[in-house]
Amino acid sequence: MIELINKKYIGGNNRISVYDIQIPKEPKAIILFAHGYKGFKDWGAWNAVQNYFVNAGYGFVKFNFSHNGGTVENPIDFPDLDAFGNNNYSLELFDLNKMTSITYKYLSELKLEVPVYLIGHSRGGGMAIIHAAHDPRINKIVSWAGISDIEKRFPVDEELDDWKIAGERIVENGRTKQQMPHYYQMYEDYILHKSKLDIKVACEILKQPFLQIHGDMDLAVSISEGIMISRWTDTEICIVKGAGHTFQTKHPWNETELPPDLLRVLEATLTFFEKENQITSDSIEG
């Protein structure tokens, strides 16, 4: 078994970030996991998620996006707010491409011929769809509470003008109470690459098997976004009834057992990975 923690990789703009990788002796597949906005690879129950899939016979790779605000020395939370402010969607796509290549490098070195599956949570779900739509190396994709639209996340009218004039827009982190900046370059990069960053278009050209899992009590990313994604991909959405955005998890996660909502998500994901066809049921009772 390969098991590495906080292994370095060079991400967007040559910024160094870190990833974890665990591959059992004869894996069924390798799962690449992308965290969401204001997230990191060790957030909440993500380590327990890794254990769940490894125990089920899968390899697992999770990483910090290069500009998520973490550092090599402190990959948990957000010690580098300037890096966070300089993040944008193009950089995250670069990182996803890089981590896909790194995953395949390990497969080549181990002489393994197994598929690579991609899971993304929240913003990571939207980025996973865009990435996979243009990368046939990804064999299956699952979006957990994934976003359906990037542009709607930006301010409009006077707020957008104020952001341009000030050069930054501050968002408070509810957990850490940090004042987290978004530099205006994020919007400029989006406008420059708007067609490539269209999740609807990516959904419509996606060729790989896909599953959207969403809680119907999600207050951060509405269930309506998950429903739209399922329509655009012509797939069934798996609705976890009563579940919120993080499926009953939080940071830090010190419990010994997975919460029921997250466990339902994992079971549905595992079923999807292990079946030739996609899940046909459209809801999971909470």
Side-chain angles (χ1 to χ4, degrees), residues 198-228:
D198 191 320
I199 296 173
K200 180 177 185 291
V201 170
C203 285
E204 291 172 343
I205 66 174
L206 196 67
K207 294 182 174 62
Q208 301 95 322
F210 171 79
L211 177 65
Q212 177 81 13
I213 303 179
H214 222 109
D216 64 358
M217 298 299 291
D218 191 333
L219 300 181
V221 179
S222 170
I223 182 65
S224 63
E225 295 201 49
I227 292 170
M228 291 306 301

Side-chain angles (χ1 to χ4, degrees), residues 30 123 166:
I30 307 297
R123 185 159 96 184

Side-chain angles (χ1 to χ4, degrees), residues 12 32 37 54 57 121 128 160 168 185 201-202 209-210 213 220 224 243 276:
L32 179 59
Y37 174 59
V54 171
H121 174 249
L160 183 59
E168 69 176 15
Q185 63 80 28
V201 170
F210 171 79
I213 303 179
S224 63
E276 289 298 322

